[in-house]
């Protein structure tokens, strides 16, 4: 940022307030204040009958030192990572395909992608389970065609969990990548080709770097929510494994240990903040003004 | 020689197009298979959807007898909340996305950081915290509080998608527009918004999707009068989903597909009409030319 | 654009104002969906000229979270379960009940309704959590909890979830108090549950998994079993495990009036209404769960009383889930270890 443009930007106080004001106000009112309250609660005592007693203590944070929470975080990170990588690999070519279509076709294709999401996610998970259950259609087909001797157990396997996670998060990866591929100038790709670059070179040297902001958004929009998810893993995984999201939810629900739930949330926030920080340094993203 | 190359190129293009379409179809199948299964089970002749027991249309009959208002009321309530939450989130998201990109101000990093919080923290945390705060300052629970809850996690998604869309080009365009004498508002409305339109659309889709499917905020911040559809579905899921919910969801999908078809038909008709008008105009101009000659 | 917006605004106003126009009195109830008959609600509305607003919980802890966060006064009746009663009473979250306003509550069997709870709640329906297996597919006959951890049962079991449902059966299998507060006993129970966990295919959705053939044995609620058996119809080969000495858990879903409720009068009327034997008997057709209302059970259909899901002879060999106070955090810790590994 050079001096002149900074000076120019200072003059723009009114539009700055008009544009950045609402979002700032909203975030402060409905995110900062509740989160400060959560941080405050995390230093309080668990009420014997649920809720919170306002006596300061570090008990919750001492509990966090238990190795079990480290395991949970690592497990959750692994699931989120696998989901994100698969979503990017599947989603990028798909986004590319849509983005290279004429604008009106592309917008219809995107809509086609979103329509299934407007049905309830629980109902969609149920549908997968009905499809893959022991006496379900997939098994019947396999048996009928003679591929297997007896029904295969698909339910509650890692494969089905991954399928559920991917179908849930893929659209969130596709959208930002689509909008950043779409704004690539065709002329630029043609120039690269005209200059004799092979398609693969054009892709890795021109297309990919230019669409990096979209990829970054896609990572944020899949990895971070996948980190806190639990309904999908719970339903398709048969509730045999707890993830960080489950544990936090349980503290606010059945266990009624709000301070511990609050402390776990703070921990989750710190882990994510650290990851974003490391990632943005590592990938040298100037555009993402994160942290 | 030249011809051969272009032939090969053409063939390759054709092949690429085929594989592209095939790949896209597979991805779409991933999203539509569960929807088709869901539709199939709306015709299930069983009290609950444990397995396929035979064909019936009785669930649609039950749904359209309107004896059970619950499902319809929940659906309408969810839709209204989703529409309002989407409008608010996109409006704030567009302004915020542009503003946070363009201007430097104190606390900007902080706001950027805050945007990630609702995406990271499990929803129940913000929901409980908001519930306590609302109860303490005496805000009545209801549609308003649910909308606030939904917007809180939709706005970050909207801002992130829109910000990803803005690039250096936008700034050049804006400056050009201002140099040509447009004021800020005109520039924003006529230049900035159209240039980020795909981002805005994505943001709207995302917000609507997140809101229409939300359970936790909708549950915690709801008043005693009315539950949203997802809350109702999750509650029923304790003993197994009943096929009338599948029937309702099927109707919802059909209405949306119909809406999409209608929209694109209108668009196409409008485009055709414009093309015709332009052609007519050209014809008139050329006649004028010939008359002049 | 403007027109769409104004239509929208009009719609919202219409929707938010509708209840205000209705001069009728209202009662707000928070409970499970699909857990009370539509006819019962409609008849109550007609008889008393009131409007019943039902809103639904998605998790058993929802009502607790709402109450502890201070949102209880939004409701007139809240459904919760017996395990939370002690905490809710001690925390002062509930209105004390005047049973003289609920004369029909005489019909409720006092064995299921403790002296202390009588002052604060009215039981609605109840659930045995017991073991059911498929006589054709299950490798062994199950007669006690210890059978569930035998190696033959690997990959056969579907189970309900939750620390306070799982630990009691382990404690009983080991010969301890199912509501133990002793850390060593809980730890032993955890070790028992690790073996149980190896045999479990999935927690939750037990009846779906049973009907679809994914499991051959389930630790589940009687009401869910009734649904599964009804769906299997003539092909039903499920049977309630003939337990010889181990007690089974009996849990209650009950109504409480939250502190500060706005329509206590109507809440009493509603509670009295559902305790009416005829009303409850009709309700049991749609909701075939066990019922603490003896007069209602007597008035209920043959089909309900002879339902195969209730066909077991140890109905009185039961234990209740009690509030374990601060020991809940010990349970939680071991439950997490069980699930994290």
């Amino acid at each position: 940022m050079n001096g002149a443009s900074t000076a120019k930007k200072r003059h723009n106080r009114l539009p700055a307030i008009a544009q950045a004001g609402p979002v700032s106000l909203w975030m402060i009112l409905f995110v900062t204040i509740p989160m400060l309250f959560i941080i405050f609660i995390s230093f309080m005592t668990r009420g014997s009958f649920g809720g919170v007693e306002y006596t300061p203590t570090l008990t919750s944070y001492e509990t966090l030192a238990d190795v079990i929470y480290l395991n949970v975080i690592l497990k959750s990170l692994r699931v989120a990572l696998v989901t994100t990588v698969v979503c990017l690999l599947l989603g990028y070519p798909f986004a590319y395909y849509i983005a290279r279509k004429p604008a009106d076709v592309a917008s219809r294709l995107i809509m086609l992608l979103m329509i299934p999401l407007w049905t309830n996610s629980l109902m969609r998970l149920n549908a997968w389970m009905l499809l893959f259950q022991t006496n379900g259609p997939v098994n019947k087909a396999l048996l009928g065609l003679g591929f297997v001797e007896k029904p295969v157990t698909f339910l509650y396997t890692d494969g089905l969990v991954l399928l559920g996670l991917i179908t849930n998060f893929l659209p969130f990866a596709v959208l930002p990548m689509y909008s950043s591929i779409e704004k690539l100038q065709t002329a630029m790709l043609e120039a690269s080709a005209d200059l004799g670059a092979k398609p693969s070179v054009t892709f890795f040297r021109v297309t990919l770097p230019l669409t990096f902001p979209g990829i970054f958004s896609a990572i944020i929009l899949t990895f971070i929510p996948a980190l806190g998810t639990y309904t999908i893993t719970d339903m398709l995984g048969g509730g045999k494994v707890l993830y960080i999201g489950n544990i936090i939810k349980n503290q606010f629900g059945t266990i009624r240990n709000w301070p511990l739930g609050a402390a776990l949330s703070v921990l989750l926030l710190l882990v994510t903040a650290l990851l974003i920080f490391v990632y943005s340094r590592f990938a040298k993203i100037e555009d993402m003004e994160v942290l | 020689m030249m011809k051969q190359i272009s032939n090969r190129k053409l063939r390759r293009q054709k092949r690429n197009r085929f594989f592209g379409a095939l790949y896209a179809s597979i991805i779409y199948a991933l999203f539509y298979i569960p929807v088709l299964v869901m539709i199939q089970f709306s015709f299930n002749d069983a009290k609950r959807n444990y397995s396929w027991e035979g064909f019936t249309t009785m669930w649609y009959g039950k749904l359209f007898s309107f004896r059970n208002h619950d499902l319809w009321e929940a659906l309408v309530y969810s839709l209204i909340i989703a529409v309002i939450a989407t409008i608010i989130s996109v409006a704030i998201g567009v302004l915020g996305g542009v503003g946070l990109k363009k201007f430097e101000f104190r606390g900007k990093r902080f706001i950027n950081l805050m945007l990630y919080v609702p995406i990271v923290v499990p929803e129940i945390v913000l929901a409980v915290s908001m519930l306590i705060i609302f109860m303490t300052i005496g805000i009545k629970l209801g549609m308003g509080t649910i909308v606030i809850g939904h917007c809180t996690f939709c706005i970050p998604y909207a801002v992130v998608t829109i910000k990803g869309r803005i690039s250096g080009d936008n700034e050049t365009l804006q400056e050009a527009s201002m140099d040509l004498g447009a004021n800020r508002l005109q520039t924003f409305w006529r230049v900035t918004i159209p240039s980020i339109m795909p981002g805005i659309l994505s943001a709207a889709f995302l917000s609507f999707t997140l809101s229409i499917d939300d359970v936790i905020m909708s549950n915690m911040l709801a008043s005693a009068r009315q539950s949203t559809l997802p809350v109702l579905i999750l509650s029923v899921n304790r003993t197994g989903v009943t096929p009338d919910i599948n029937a309702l969801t099927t109707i919802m999908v059909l209405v949306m597909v119909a809406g999409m078809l209608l929209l694109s038909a209108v668009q196409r008709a409008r485009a055709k009409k414009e093309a015709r008008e332009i052609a007519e105009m050209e014809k008139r101009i050329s006649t004028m030319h010939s008359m002049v000659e | 654009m403007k027109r769409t917006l104004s239509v929208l605004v009009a719609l919202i106003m219409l929707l938010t104002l509708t209840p205000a126009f209705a001069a009728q009195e209202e009662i707000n109830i928070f409970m499970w969906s699909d857990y009370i008959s539509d006819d019962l609600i409609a008849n109550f509305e007609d008889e008393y000229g009131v409007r019943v607003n039902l809103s639904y919980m998605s998790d058993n802890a929802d009502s607790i979270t709402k109450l502890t966060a201070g949102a209880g006064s939004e409701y007139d009746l809240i459904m919760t379960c017996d395990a939370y009663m002690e905490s809710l009473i001690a925390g002062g979250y509930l209105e004390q009940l005047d049973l003289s306003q609920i004369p029909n509550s005489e019909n409720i069997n006092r064995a299921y309704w403790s002296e202390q709870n009588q002052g604060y709640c009215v039981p609605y329906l109840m659930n045995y959590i017991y073991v059911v297996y498929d006589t054709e597919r299950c490798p062994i006959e199950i007669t006690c909890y210890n059978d569930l951890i035998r190696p033959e049962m690997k990959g056969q079991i579907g189970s309900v979830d939750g620390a306070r449902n799982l630990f009691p059966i382990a404690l009983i299998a080991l010969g301890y108090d199912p509501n133990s507060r002793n850390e060593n006993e809980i730890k032993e129970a955890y070790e028992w549950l690790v073996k149980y966990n190896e045999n479990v295919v999935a927690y939750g959705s037990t009846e779906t998994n049973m009907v679809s053939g994914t499991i051959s044995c389930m630790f589940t609620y009687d009401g869910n079993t009734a649904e599964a058996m009804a769906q299997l119809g003539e092909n039903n080969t499920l049977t309630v495990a003939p337990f010889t000495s181990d007690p089974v858990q009996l849990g209650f879903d009950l109504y409480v009036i939250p502190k500060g409720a706005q329509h206590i009068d109507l809440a009493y009327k509603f509670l009295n209404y559902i305790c009416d034997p005829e009303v409850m008997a009709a309700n049991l057709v749609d909701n075939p769960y066990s019922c603490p209302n003896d007069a209602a059970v007597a008035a209920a259909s043959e089909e309900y009383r002879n339902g195969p899901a209730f066909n077991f002879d140890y109905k009185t060999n039961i234990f209740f889930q009690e509030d374990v106070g601060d020991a809940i955090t010990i349970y939680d810790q071991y439950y997490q270890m069980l699930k994290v590994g």
Side-chain angles (χ1 to χ4, degrees), chain C residues 73-87:
Chain C
S73 57
E74 292 271 320
Y75 303 93
D76 303 310
L77 283 171
I78 288 185
M79 183 173 282
T80 178
C81 56
D82 50 333
Y84 296 121
M85 281 308 293
E86 197 182 319
S87 294

Side-chain angles (χ1 to χ4, degrees), chain B residues 20 34 65 77 93 102 133 137 154 186 192-193 203 212 220 228 251:
Chain B
S65 70
Y77 195 63
K102 197 158 122 197
I133 292 173
I137 53 179
C154 288
Q186 283 169 324
T192 313
I193 296 265
I212 197 86
M220 280 298 139
T228 64
I251 294 168

Side-chain angles (χ1 to χ4, degrees), chain B residues 18-45:
Chain B
F18 170 74
F19 280 114
L22 182 71
Y23 180 74
S25 319
I26 292 172
I27 299 281
Y28 277 119
L30 270 184
F31 293 110
Y32 278 90
I33 286 171
V35 176
L36 293 178
V37 175
M38 200 164 66
I39 294 175
Q40 184 204 341
F41 275 83
S42 70
F43 297 105
N44 193 10
D45 192 6

Side-chain angles (χ1 to χ4, degrees), chain C residues 13-34:
Chain C
M13 281 173 53
L14 206 76
L15 204 96
T16 42
L17 289 181
T18 335
F21 280 130
Q24 280 175 319
E25 269 197 287
E26 297 190 344
I27 172 169
N28 300 315
I29 305 177
F30 190 53
M31 62 178 290
W32 288 106
S33 93
D34 209 12

